[in-house]
């Protein structure tokens, strides 16, 4: 069983051609889905099955939907700032995934701002306790919280390095 995925599937989605499919949330494999019997049929290969699905010589586009990365919810302190600027702002990590971090803090940053973040990486991800990490990221979206003093920021993680503990 080494190297095999245990498959956890998304809700069925409809492709541009009207057919249904499911995507594994773990490995991103696509499977054709029959909505009438509510069963997965077979693994999708991206090729049209007949001339009715696509005109001769024309390649069908694969669905552009990609499963969302799993998130680890946590409430961990974090410091963040626009890249290269001296003032650090205190905030909180709300959740963390392979692709990014959702943080809440007092400083509003525009979308596409390069940002530096320092926080303790959870043991579930790093495999070690007390592993502080410096992340380079880019703000991808903003969320205004009910509390007007705090701003929610989503940042994609571009690079990171573990900081040594003294």
């Amino acid at each position: 069983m080494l190297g095999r995925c245990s498959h956890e599937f998304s809700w069925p989605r409809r492709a541009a051609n009207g057919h249904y499919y499911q995507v594994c949330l773990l490995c991103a494999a696509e499977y054709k889905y029959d909505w009438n019997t509510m069963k997965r049929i077979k693994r999708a290969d991206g090729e049209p099955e007949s001339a009715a699905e696509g005109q001769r010589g024309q390649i069908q586009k694969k669905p552009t939907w990609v499963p969302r990365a799993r998130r680890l919810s946590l409430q961990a302190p974090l410091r963040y700032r626009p890249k290269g600027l001296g003032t650090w702002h205190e905030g909180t990590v709300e959740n963390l995934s392979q692709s990014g971090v959702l943080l809440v803090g007092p400083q509003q940053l525009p979308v596409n701002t390069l940002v530096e973040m320092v926080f303790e990486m959870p043991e579930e991800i790093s495999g070690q306790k007390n592993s502080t990490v410096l992340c380079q990221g880019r703000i991808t979206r903003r969320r205004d919280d009910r509390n007007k003093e705090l701003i929610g920021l989503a940042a994609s993680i571009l690079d990171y390095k573990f900081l040594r503990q003294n």
Side-chain angles (χ1 to χ4, degrees), residues 3-126:
R4 298 200 47 161
C5 182
S6 61
H7 292 314
E8 291 182 24
F9 288 98
S10 67
W11 188 256
R13 302 247 175 196
R14 191 173 212 163
N17 64 7
H19 291 80
Y20 290 93
Y21 67 98
Q22 279 186 304
V23 177
C24 174
L25 299 171
L26 302 175
C27 71
E30 289 184 21
Y31 284 77
K32 293 183 180 185
Y33 186 84
D34 181 1
W35 191 259
N36 295 325
T37 61
M38 299 188 87
K39 292 184 179 179
R40 278 180 297 285
I41 302 170
K42 63 179 181 175
R43 189 165 180 154
D45 57 3
E47 301 276 333
E49 286 187 348
S50 68
E53 280 189 47
Q55 294 180 3
R56 182 170 271 205
Q58 183 180 6
I59 298 173
Q60 292 280 41
K61 289 185 178 180
K62 291 189 89 176
T64 57
W65 179 79
V66 179
R68 190 174 184 188
R70 287 184 169 237
R71 273 139 179 72
L72 179 63
S73 294
L74 58 132
Q75 294 293 314
L78 133 133
R79 293 183 301 138
Y80 68 103
R81 68 179 180 186
K83 186 170 174 145
L85 296 182
T87 307
W88 288 93
H89 305 283
E90 301 291 325
T92 305
V93 176
E94 281 199 354
N95 69 48
L96 183 65
S97 74
Q98 176 182 346
S99 59
V101 61
L102 177 63
L103 65 102
V104 175
Q107 182 62 38
Q108 181 174 329
L109 299 174
V111 172
N112 288 326
T113 301
L114 292 176
V115 64
E116 295 175 312
M117 302 168 281
V118 175
F119 58 94
E120 187 174 320
M121 186 68 73
E123 188 175 354
E124 296 91 341
I125 295 175
S126 67

